[in-house]
CSV table of all heavy atoms in Angstrom, one decimal:
chain,number,residue,atom,x,y,z
A,666,LEU,N,6.0,-3.3,-8.1
A,666,LEU,CA,5.4,-3.2,-9.4
A,666,LEU,C,4.4,-4.3,-9.6
A,666,LEU,O,3.3,-4.0,-10.3
A,666,LEU,CB,6.4,-3.2,-10.5
A,666,LEU,CG,7.3,-1.9,-10.6
A,666,LEU,CD1,8.4,-2.1,-11.5
A,666,LEU,CD2,6.4,-0.6,-10.9
A,667,CYS,N,4.7,-5.5,-9.1
A,667,CYS,CA,3.7,-6.6,-9.3
A,667,CYS,C,2.4,-6.3,-8.5
A,667,CYS,O,1.3,-6.5,-9.0
A,667,CYS,CB,4.3,-7.9,-8.8
A,667,CYS,SG,5.4,-8.6,-10.0
A,668,ASN,N,2.5,-5.7,-7.3
A,668,ASN,CA,1.3,-5.4,-6.6
A,668,ASN,C,0.5,-4.3,-7.2
A,668,ASN,O,-0.7,-4.3,-7.2
A,668,ASN,CB,1.7,-5.0,-5.1
A,668,ASN,CG,1.9,-6.2,-4.2
A,668,ASN,OD1,1.0,-6.7,-3.7
A,668,ASN,ND2,3.1,-6.7,-4.1
A,669,LEU,N,1.2,-3.3,-7.8
A,669,LEU,CA,0.5,-2.3,-8.5
A,669,LEU,C,-0.2,-2.9,-9.7
A,669,LEU,O,-1.4,-2.5,-10.0
A,669,LEU,CB,1.5,-1.2,-9.0
A,669,LEU,CG,2.0,-0.2,-8.0
A,669,LEU,CD1,2.9,0.8,-8.7
A,669,LEU,CD2,0.9,0.5,-7.3
A,670,SER,N,0.4,-3.8,-10.4
A,670,SER,CA,-0.2,-4.5,-11.5
A,670,SER,C,-1.4,-5.3,-11.1
A,670,SER,O,-2.5,-5.2,-11.8
A,670,SER,CB,0.8,-5.5,-12.1
A,670,SER,OG,2.0,-4.8,-12.5
A,671,LEU,N,-1.4,-6.0,-9.9
A,671,LEU,CA,-2.5,-6.8,-9.5
A,671,LEU,C,-3.6,-5.9,-8.9
A,671,LEU,O,-4.7,-6.5,-8.6
A,671,LEU,CB,-2.0,-7.8,-8.5
A,671,LEU,CG,-1.1,-8.9,-9.1
A,671,LEU,CD1,-0.7,-9.9,-8.1
A,671,LEU,CD2,-1.8,-9.6,-10.3
A,672,TRP,N,-3.3,-4.7,-8.6
A,672,TRP,CA,-4.3,-3.7,-8.1
A,672,TRP,C,-5.2,-3.3,-9.3
A,672,TRP,O,-6.4,-3.1,-9.1
A,672,TRP,CB,-3.7,-2.5,-7.5
A,672,TRP,CG,-4.7,-1.4,-7.1
A,672,TRP,CD1,-5.4,-1.4,-6.0
A,672,TRP,CD2,-4.9,-0.2,-7.8
A,672,TRP,NE1,-6.2,-0.2,-6.0
A,672,TRP,CE2,-5.9,0.5,-7.1
A,672,TRP,CE3,-4.4,0.3,-9.0
A,672,TRP,CZ2,-6.4,1.7,-7.5
A,672,TRP,CZ3,-4.9,1.6,-9.4
A,672,TRP,CH2,-5.8,2.2,-8.7
A,673,ILE,N,-4.7,-3.2,-10.5
A,673,ILE,CA,-5.4,-2.6,-11.6
A,673,ILE,C,-6.6,-3.5,-12.0
A,673,ILE,O,-7.7,-2.9,-12.2
A,673,ILE,CB,-4.4,-2.5,-12.8
A,673,ILE,CG1,-3.4,-1.4,-12.5
A,673,ILE,CG2,-5.2,-2.1,-14.1
A,673,ILE,CD1,-2.3,-1.3,-13.5
A,674,PRO,N,-6.5,-4.8,-12.2
A,674,PRO,CA,-7.7,-5.6,-12.7
A,674,PRO,C,-8.9,-5.4,-11.8
A,674,PRO,O,-10.0,-5.0,-12.4
A,674,PRO,CB,-7.2,-7.0,-12.7
A,674,PRO,CG,-5.7,-6.9,-12.9
A,674,PRO,CD,-5.3,-5.7,-12.1
A,675,PRO,N,-8.9,-5.7,-10.5
A,675,PRO,CA,-10.2,-5.6,-9.8
A,675,PRO,C,-10.6,-4.2,-9.6
A,675,PRO,O,-11.8,-3.8,-9.6
A,675,PRO,CB,-9.8,-6.2,-8.4
A,675,PRO,CG,-8.3,-6.1,-8.3
A,675,PRO,CD,-7.8,-6.1,-9.7
A,676,ALA,N,-9.7,-3.2,-9.6
A,676,ALA,CA,-10.1,-1.8,-9.4
A,676,ALA,C,-10.8,-1.2,-10.6
A,676,ALA,O,-11.6,-0.3,-10.5
A,676,ALA,CB,-8.8,-1.0,-9.1
A,677,PHE,N,-10.6,-1.8,-11.8
A,677,PHE,CA,-11.2,-1.3,-13.0
A,677,PHE,C,-12.1,-2.3,-13.7
A,677,PHE,O,-12.3,-2.2,-14.9
A,677,PHE,CB,-10.1,-0.8,-14.0
A,677,PHE,CG,-9.3,0.4,-13.5
A,677,PHE,CD1,-8.1,0.3,-12.8
A,677,PHE,CD2,-9.8,1.6,-13.8
A,677,PHE,CE1,-7.5,1.4,-12.4
A,677,PHE,CE2,-9.1,2.8,-13.3
A,677,PHE,CZ,-8.0,2.6,-12.6
A,678,GLY,N,-12.7,-3.2,-12.9
A,678,GLY,CA,-13.8,-4.0,-13.4
A,678,GLY,C,-13.4,-5.3,-14.0
A,678,GLY,O,-14.3,-6.0,-14.5
A,679,CYS,N,-12.1,-5.7,-13.8
A,679,CYS,CA,-11.7,-7.0,-14.3
A,679,CYS,C,-11.8,-8.0,-13.1
A,679,CYS,O,-10.8,-8.2,-12.5
A,679,CYS,CB,-10.3,-7.0,-14.9
A,679,CYS,SG,-9.7,-8.5,-15.6
A,680,ARG,N,-12.9,-8.6,-12.9
A,680,ARG,CA,-13.1,-9.4,-11.7
A,680,ARG,C,-13.6,-10.8,-12.1
A,680,ARG,O,-14.9,-11.0,-12.3
A,680,ARG,CB,-14.1,-8.7,-10.8
A,680,ARG,CG,-13.6,-7.3,-10.3
A,680,ARG,CD,-14.6,-6.6,-9.5
A,680,ARG,NE,-14.1,-5.3,-9.1
A,680,ARG,CZ,-14.8,-4.5,-8.3
A,680,ARG,NH1,-15.9,-4.8,-7.8
A,680,ARG,NH2,-14.2,-3.3,-8.0
A,681,PRO,N,-12.8,-11.8,-12.2
A,681,PRO,CA,-13.2,-13.1,-12.6
A,681,PRO,C,-14.1,-13.8,-11.5
A,681,PRO,O,-14.8,-14.7,-11.8
A,681,PRO,CB,-11.9,-13.9,-12.8
A,681,PRO,CG,-10.9,-13.1,-12.0
A,681,PRO,CD,-11.3,-11.7,-12.1
A,682,GLU,N,-14.0,-13.3,-10.3
A,682,GLU,CA,-14.9,-13.8,-9.2
A,682,GLU,C,-16.3,-13.5,-9.5
A,682,GLU,O,-17.2,-14.3,-9.1
A,682,GLU,CB,-14.6,-13.1,-7.9
A,682,GLU,CG,-13.2,-13.4,-7.3
A,682,GLU,CD,-12.1,-12.5,-7.9
A,682,GLU,OE1,-12.4,-11.6,-8.7
A,682,GLU,OE2,-10.9,-12.6,-7.5
A,683,TYR,N,-16.6,-12.4,-10.3
A,683,TYR,CA,-18.0,-12.2,-10.8
A,683,TYR,C,-18.3,-13.0,-12.0
A,683,TYR,O,-19.3,-13.6,-12.1
A,683,TYR,CB,-18.1,-10.7,-11.2
A,683,TYR,CG,-18.4,-9.7,-10.1
A,683,TYR,CD1,-17.9,-8.4,-10.1
A,683,TYR,CD2,-19.2,-10.1,-9.0
A,683,TYR,CE1,-18.1,-7.6,-9.1
A,683,TYR,CE2,-19.5,-9.2,-7.9
A,683,TYR,CZ,-18.9,-7.9,-8.0
A,683,TYR,OH,-19.2,-7.0,-7.0
A,684,ASP,N,-17.3,-13.1,-13.0
A,684,ASP,CA,-17.6,-13.6,-14.3
A,684,ASP,C,-17.4,-15.1,-14.4
A,684,ASP,O,-17.9,-15.6,-15.5
A,684,ASP,CB,-16.7,-12.9,-15.3
A,684,ASP,CG,-16.8,-11.3,-15.3
A,684,ASP,OD1,-18.0,-10.9,-15.1
A,684,ASP,OD2,-15.8,-10.6,-15.4
A,685,ASN,N,-16.8,-15.7,-13.5
A,685,ASN,CA,-16.6,-17.1,-13.6
A,685,ASN,C,-17.9,-17.9,-13.7
A,685,ASN,O,-18.0,-18.9,-14.4
A,685,ASN,CB,-15.7,-17.6,-12.4
A,685,ASN,CG,-15.3,-19.0,-12.5
A,685,ASN,OD1,-15.0,-19.5,-13.6
A,685,ASN,ND2,-15.2,-19.7,-11.4
A,686,GLY,N,-18.9,-17.6,-12.8
A,686,GLY,CA,-20.2,-18.1,-12.8
A,686,GLY,C,-20.3,-19.4,-12.0
A,686,GLY,O,-21.4,-19.8,-11.6
A,687,LEU,N,-19.2,-20.1,-11.8
A,687,LEU,CA,-19.3,-21.4,-11.0
A,687,LEU,C,-19.7,-21.2,-9.6
A,687,LEU,O,-20.5,-22.0,-9.0
A,687,LEU,CB,-18.0,-22.1,-11.1
A,687,LEU,CG,-18.0,-23.6,-10.8
A,687,LEU,CD1,-18.8,-24.4,-11.9
A,687,LEU,CD2,-16.5,-24.2,-10.8
Side-chain angles (χ1 to χ4, degrees):
L666 289 171
C667 284
N668 277 275
L669 285 182
S670 302
L671 295 179
W672 173 80
I673 293 172
F677 291 92
C679 182
R680 301 178 180 181
E682 295 85 359
Y683 276 147
D684 303 321
N685 188 34
L687 198 64

